[in-house]
Amino acid sequence: MLSYTEENYLKALLMLSFQNEERPEAGTNEMAAYLGVKPATATDMLKKLKEKELVTYQKYGKILLTELGREKATAILRKHRLWETFLYEKLDFSWDEVHEVAEQLEHIQSEKLVNKLEEFLDFPEFDPHGDPIPKANGDIPAIDKVLLSEVTAGEVCKVVAVKDTSAVFLQYLEKLNITIGTKFKVLEVIDFDGSLSIQIEKEEPRSVSMKFAESLFVKR
Amino acid sequence: MLSYTEENYLKALLMLSFQNEERPEAGTNEMAAYLGVKPATATDMLKKLKEKELVTYQKYGKILLTELGREKATAILRKHRLWETFLYEKLDFSWDEVHEVAEQLEHIQSEKLVNKLEEFLDFPEFDPHGDPIPKANGDIPAIDKVLLSEVTAGEVCKVVAVKDTSAVFLQYLEKLNITIGTKFKVLEVIDFDGSLSIQIEKEEPRSVSMKFAESLFVKR
DNA sequence: TACACAAGTTAGACAAGTCTAACAAATATT
DNA sequence: AATATTTGTTAGACTTGTCTAACTTGTGTA
């Protein structure tokens, strides 16, 4: 049985491993920063996780989830995303409100609850932010996506996920009438600052920043 | 902000106060037993709760929730019973499975979540065990109920709640085809051992023990 | 290659919640 | 009323997760 805190460390490591699929190892400071604790605290916890064979690492080395650790972490992520979907779909929470509550709900221990919840939601594949929801067996649905910043002028694409899930960004998207599924055409890419001009069907063209384009995943 | 543990102590005190409405004070040992901790542990926590003005008590005296403590405890009970209802109604959990998971869910912190959940469930007044669900303002719906053991021969009554919520009892009820709303007639009360003979509409008469009769609430 | 800085660890402390063992107060019994 | 029993408290210890401050290791650059 894992403690609430141990679960958070595992999930953090899994999330960090997604940030750079080719280099899935994390550093102590990186992990501490992600969780909002001091590096010393992270080191202590690392020893414990290593003891339980949930991570592999040696002093001053990189941290990697073991197969077991990855399984546990994936199960937590599954719960997190299912709860987010529940809050969004059934309880009318908005895009930017679901995360905080799901952070708590993800720690509820009940196999049955998760699976019943998934069934109740009709086996969703993606959460409200477009992120894939791991299946009960640990499989993670694949999705064909690229950052908007990689799209070239003239292409038409559809929003499939957000990279940045901060409230400010999500609220900005809402204001722009952009949500998962929105289609638009990239009219122009400005080399100078990386900004681009996009046109949502039947709307006026609109200019968005490079930062914006690096926060949104689309399907070409 | 209350810790998970503090919340449990408050809820325990509220539950104990219900056990004997005229004498709502609790003792240290009683409280410790309810929570499954040692009396020494309960004493320590009591000091903390007193410090926070959630209970009134003095050394070697009885424990009583303050107005504030009662409010907090009621809010937790509200969450507990709403979650139980959710699990039972929406996720097909059985009568005897809901409690354990609700014990965890009741600690989730989100005003919005509770209220949205209540709305989603269509403002239920009673949980799957027939217990009243406190309203957002703290009001607790009243219910007209007596223990089955107080009913005399010849009376017809309807099951409105269970006093004992243990899995064994609930499963036994299920086997007997008795649930909230079931109507039956009390045919005979045996003075010798307090057992009684009941007849559910269109079923054969059946004998139940005194213990059984003291575990079920009915409306005459 | 040597040094400086970044990254990571250790030691010692603290708060929360728990325990056991010993003690004190209150209540019940004869 | 004296004593026995129950009830409750205190003291001291342990665990978990956190911190700060000081130290060690690794690495990039001049």
Side-chain angles (χ1 to χ4, degrees):
Chain A
M1 183 91 312
L2 299 174
S3 73
Y4 187 104
T5 313
E6 288 168 332
E7 290 196 346
N8 279 334
Y9 278 86
L10 291 182
K11 199 187 62 160
L13 287 170
L14 184 64
M15 294 305 282
L16 288 172
S17 83
F18 289 153
Q19 278 182 15
N20 198 330
E21 307 259 0
E22 308 86 58
R23 235 186 317 108
E25 325 88 359
T28 304
N29 287 359
E30 195 182 1
M31 189 171 96
Y34 188 93
L35 288 161
V37 300
K38 301 291 163 177
T41 309
T43 299
D44 288 344
M45 179 55 79
L46 240 26
K47 289 181 190 159
K48 214 166 126 194
L49 295 178
K50 187 183 176 180
E51 195 55 44
K52 294 194 174 185
E53 306 201 26
L54 295 163
V55 303
T56 54
Y57 105 112
Q58 10 216 16
K59 264 208 229 178
Y60 299 102
K62 291 294 173 185
I63 311 151
L64 204 55
L65 287 168
T66 60
E67 189 49 38
L68 179 62
R70 198 177 186 80
E71 276 167 25
K72 302 274 188 192
T74 305
I76 299 159
L77 189 62
R78 166 173 160 81
K79 287 193 274 183
H80 182 96
R81 292 183 175 167
L82 281 171
W83 279 117
E84 282 195 342
T85 307
F86 170 73
L87 294 173
Y88 186 78
E89 304 259 312
K90 304 292 182 181
L91 300 194
D92 286 319
F93 272 60
S94 64
W95 237 12
D96 54 303
E97 292 171 319
V98 297
H99 184 76
E100 188 191 332
V101 182
E103 282 289 298
Q104 298 180 59
L105 287 163
E106 73 191 5
H107 299 290
I108 304 293
Q109 308 279 192
S110 166
E111 265 312 285
K112 178 160 184 173
L113 175 56
V114 195
N115 295 330
K116 284 287 189 177
L117 184 65
E118 182 183 33
E119 185 185 340
F120 183 62
L121 297 171
D122 226 2
F123 299 92
E125 298 227 290
F126 303 96
D127 77 9
H129 307 115
D131 292 317
I133 300 173
K135 297 292 173 193
N137 65 9
D139 287 354
I140 300 183
I143 183 168
D144 180 17
K145 66 181 183 185
V146 294
L147 278 177
L148 172 55
S149 55
E150 289 173 40
V151 176
T152 52
E155 289 188 277
V156 169
C157 53
K158 186 175 76 176
V159 174
V160 294
V162 289
K163 182 173 182 191
D164 176 352
T165 58
S166 69
V168 269
F169 181 57
L170 296 175
Q171 282 159 12
Y172 179 41
L173 284 178
E174 211 145 319
K175 205 171 98 186
L176 260 42
N177 248 314
I178 294 176
T179 183
I180 303 291
T182 301
K183 286 184 190 148
F184 55 72
K185 183 170 184 179
V186 173
L187 301 179
E188 195 182 2
V189 178
I190 311 294
D191 281 345
F192 166 62
D193 60 3
S195 69
L196 56 185
S197 169
I198 63 174
Q199 180 172 33
I200 301 172
E201 288 169 318
K202 287 162 200 148
E203 285 191 21
E204 290 305 298
R206 175 193 306 282
S207 170
V208 296
S209 70
M210 180 166 85
K211 184 170 177 195
F212 180 97
E214 286 173 343
S215 303
L216 208 58
F217 285 117
V218 298
K219 180 176 184 305
R220 284 190 170 106
Chain B
M1 184 93 310
L2 298 175
S3 74
Y4 188 106
T5 311
E6 288 167 332
E7 290 197 346
N8 279 333
Y9 278 85
L10 291 183
K11 199 187 61 161
L13 287 171
L14 185 64
M15 295 305 282
L16 289 172
S17 82
F18 289 154
Q19 278 182 14
N20 198 333
E21 306 259 359
E22 309 86 56
R23 235 186 317 108
E25 326 87 343
T28 305
N29 287 0
E30 195 184 0
M31 190 171 97
Y34 188 93
L35 288 162
V37 300
K38 301 292 163 177
T41 310
T43 299
D44 286 346
M45 179 56 79
L46 239 27
K47 289 181 191 159
K48 215 166 125 192
L49 296 178
K50 188 183 176 182
E51 195 56 44
K52 293 194 174 185
E53 306 200 27
L54 295 163
V55 303
T56 54
Y57 105 114
Q58 12 218 15
K59 264 209 228 175
Y60 298 103
K62 291 292 175 185
I63 311 151
L64 203 56
L65 286 169
T66 60
E67 189 48 39
L68 179 62
R70 198 176 185 79
E71 276 169 25
K72 303 274 188 192
T74 305
I76 299 160
L77 189 62
R78 168 174 159 80
K79 286 193 274 183
H80 182 96
R81 294 183 174 166
L82 281 172
W83 279 117
E84 282 196 342
T85 307
F86 170 73
L87 294 174
Y88 186 78
E89 304 258 311
K90 303 292 184 183
L91 300 195
D92 287 317
F93 272 59
S94 64
W95 237 12
D96 54 301
E97 292 172 320
V98 298
H99 184 76
E100 189 191 331
V101 182
E103 282 289 298
Q104 299 179 59
L105 287 163
E106 73 190 5
H107 299 290
I108 303 293
Q109 309 279 188
S110 167
E111 260 320 278
K112 178 160 185 174
L113 175 56
V114 194
N115 296 328
K116 284 286 189 177
L117 184 64
E118 182 183 33
E119 185 185 340
F120 183 63
L121 297 171
D122 225 2
F123 300 92
E125 299 226 292
F126 301 97
D127 77 9
H129 306 115
D131 292 316
I133 300 174
K135 298 291 174 192
N137 66 9
D139 288 353
I140 301 183
I143 185 168
D144 181 16
K145 65 180 183 185
V146 293
L147 277 178
L148 173 54
S149 55
E150 288 173 40
V151 175
T152 54
E155 289 188 279
V156 169
C157 54
K158 187 176 77 176
V159 175
V160 295
V162 289
K163 183 173 181 191
D164 177 353
T165 58
S166 69
V168 268
F169 181 58
L170 296 176
Q171 281 160 14
Y172 178 41
L173 283 179
E174 212 146 320
K175 205 171 99 186
L176 260 42
N177 248 315
I178 294 175
T179 183
I180 303 289
T182 300
K183 286 184 191 147
F184 56 72
K185 184 172 185 178
V186 174
L187 300 178
E188 196 182 4
V189 179
I190 310 295
D191 281 344
F192 166 63
D193 60 1
S195 69
L196 56 186
S197 170
I198 63 174
Q199 182 173 32
I200 300 173
E201 289 169 317
K202 288 165 199 150
E203 287 193 18
E204 291 303 300
R206 176 193 305 282
S207 169
V208 297
S209 70
M210 179 167 85
K211 184 170 175 194
F212 181 97
E214 288 174 340
S215 303
L216 208 58
F217 284 117
V218 298
K219 182 179 182 306
R220 284 192 169 104

